[in-house]
Amino acid sequence: MTTAPPRFELAHLAHAELLTPDLEGSLWFFTELLGMRETARHQDSVYLRCYEDPYHHSLKLTAADHAGPGTLGWRTTSADALERRAAALDAAGLGRGWTTGDIGVGRTFAFDTPDGHAMELVWDVEKYVAPPELRSPILTRRSRRPLQGLPPRRMDHVNLMASDVTAQKELLEQTLGFETRERVIDAAGGGTEIGAWMSVNNLGHEMAVMLDQTGSRGRLHHLAFWYGVPQHNTDAAELCREYGIQIEAGPDVHGITQGAFLYVFEPGGNRIELFGNSGILQFEPDHETVTWDLGDFDTALAIGGATLPVETYFVYGTPVNAGQEKLVRSVPSR
Ligand SMILES: [Fe+2]
């Protein structure tokens, strides 16, 4: 079973868990400012979804003593694909075994990436069905657009920091069928890979891996939510200014992925990206990886010239390293 080609065996990022030391503040950010709806609570976790997310939840917020990524869940394209990818992960020595799932999530196969990020694969999920009061007459929409805040339509992608980009990238390519659409190398530094932007579907990227310049392992750079409308990033920036949420960078557009970005820090300390367009989509079956060079990087970072702060953007991730705590100071002004 493990000899089957991995491509098209994963469908998309289905759910993500964020750990937060300030559950109340994080909940305020995601429900009041971003208009996400709560679908369940259990023990120390709250389950949330955007109004066009397809399943029971996309985001699980879990109270913890530190910020950071919990488990990231990828849905496979079939039940058989799940079995095949689980076998491939086991063969690569990364599998942690089967779980009984979670609220809205069936049996999963848990694994760790080479850099130590916790992930799982799932086929059986609970598709969201809105109660009568939340149904939309727009039948392609899973639930009515919320009235509060500035709601993104769905969760979009995740960006991970890794101590070794190449090891993480190659394993994800070989076991799970990710394609690397773009990457950054340091040509002057011997060609070390600084970042890779990967996808299992038509999105320009659904997972990015960037070099953790602090040498830490298994950290989160950001989790992104999709507006699809660049103006919304400017509107979101206004709300963040007015309601105490620290903006790190943007709105602008990366050359890499052509993604319209706004980076902010939710009150728990995790970096969140609001994604104002769809970036470049990819339809070519034989697309070749685009390589950017760190030595000629301005366009790659921000087409409009926005500054990505060196004191945070390239070194701050969650869990937060000792000494970085004061870099983030989002305090909701309700
Ligand atoms: Fe991103």
Side-chain angles (χ1 to χ4, degrees):
M1 287 177 91
T2 59
T3 56
R7 197 165 175 212
F8 303 129
E9 298 250 281
L10 262 59
H12 68 144
L13 179 64
H15 55 264
E17 181 181 22
L18 286 181
L19 309 181
T20 172
D22 180 4
L23 183 61
E24 186 182 346
S26 296
L27 268 175
W28 176 87
F29 173 81
F30 286 106
T31 61
E32 296 297 320
L33 197 140
L34 294 189
M36 293 178 72
R37 289 195 180 100
E38 180 179 328
T39 54
R41 270 183 200 234
H42 181 63
Q43 296 175 342
D44 293 330
S45 297
V46 182
Y47 299 74
L48 304 167
R49 62 182 292 281
C50 303
Y51 64 99
E52 290 189 350
D53 277 322
Y55 308 137
H56 172 272
H57 65 275
S58 57
L59 177 63
K60 176 181 179 181
L61 283 178
T62 297
D65 61 2
H66 63 276
T71 300
L72 300 170
W74 301 89
R75 192 162 186 229
T76 60
T77 51
S78 69
D80 287 346
L82 172 59
E83 301 294 330
R84 287 190 291 268
R85 290 312 106 209
L89 289 162
D90 258 344
L94 296 171
R96 282 194 282 113
W98 295 95
T99 82
T100 55
D102 195 358
I103 298 173
V105 176
R107 186 180 77 134
T108 77
F109 185 79
F111 66 102
D112 290 320
T113 69
D115 216 75
H117 301 93
M119 296 190 180
E120 63 186 2
L121 303 182
V122 63
W123 167 247
D124 289 318
V125 293
E126 178 185 331
K127 298 194 176 188
Y128 181 75
V129 178
E133 67 274 18
L134 294 182
R135 283 183 197 146
S136 172
I138 302 170
L139 298 182
T140 46
R141 180 169 283 175
R142 293 294 172 98
S143 53
R144 288 207 299 200
R145 178 175 168 146
L147 289 174
Q148 75 272 24
L150 189 61
R153 295 163 81 123
R154 59 168 170 75
M155 187 171 69
D156 191 83
H157 66 264
V158 65
N159 186 313
L160 305 174
M161 302 171 88
S163 58
D164 184 337
V165 171
T166 302
Q168 181 102 337
K169 180 197 80 167
E170 291 184 349
L171 197 285
L172 294 168
E173 289 173 337
Q174 292 160 8
T175 59
L176 298 180
F178 278 88
E179 294 210 332
T180 301
R181 301 282 165 69
E182 301 176 57
R183 65 183 190 136
V184 175
I185 64 165
D186 181 8
T192 303
E193 284 187 310
I194 305 298
W197 284 259
M198 318 178 76
S199 183
V200 290
N201 52 41
N202 293 121
L203 294 180
H205 73 303
E206 209 170 23
M207 175 159 53
V209 182
M210 301 202 308
L211 182 66
D212 193 326
Q213 298 184 13
T214 70
S216 303
R217 299 177 74 250
R219 295 204 295 168
L220 173 75
H221 192 270
H222 65 263
L223 184 66
F225 293 85
W226 183 68
Y227 283 131
V229 180
Q231 176 62 41
H232 287 356
N233 273 6
T234 302
D235 297 339
E238 290 182 3
L239 288 183
C240 289
R241 288 279 179 201
E242 291 180 329
Y243 288 90
I245 296 301
Q246 182 182 345
I247 296 170
E248 183 184 39
D252 203 329
V253 179
H254 293 300
I256 298 170
T257 75
Q258 295 185 33
F261 64 85
L262 174 68
Y263 294 105
V264 305
F265 296 107
E266 58 91 13
N270 295 294
R271 182 189 284 103
I272 299 297
E273 180 184 10
L274 299 170
F275 197 38
N277 62 3
S278 296
I280 187 164
L281 302 177
Q282 186 52 253
F283 302 98
E284 292 175 69
D286 53 355
H287 176 263
E288 295 178 0
T289 303
V290 170
T291 299
W292 302 78
D293 180 14
L294 195 60
D296 182 17
F297 204 44
D298 286 353
T299 304
L301 285 179
I303 294 172
T307 299
L308 299 177
V310 292
E311 67 274 18
T312 55
Y313 193 79
F314 301 101
V315 294
Y316 179 91
T318 48
V320 180
N321 285 353
Q324 293 187 332
E325 298 87 351
K326 291 183 178 168
L327 293 172
V328 170
R329 49 192 183 281
S330 287
V331 179
S333 159
R334 301 176 172 93

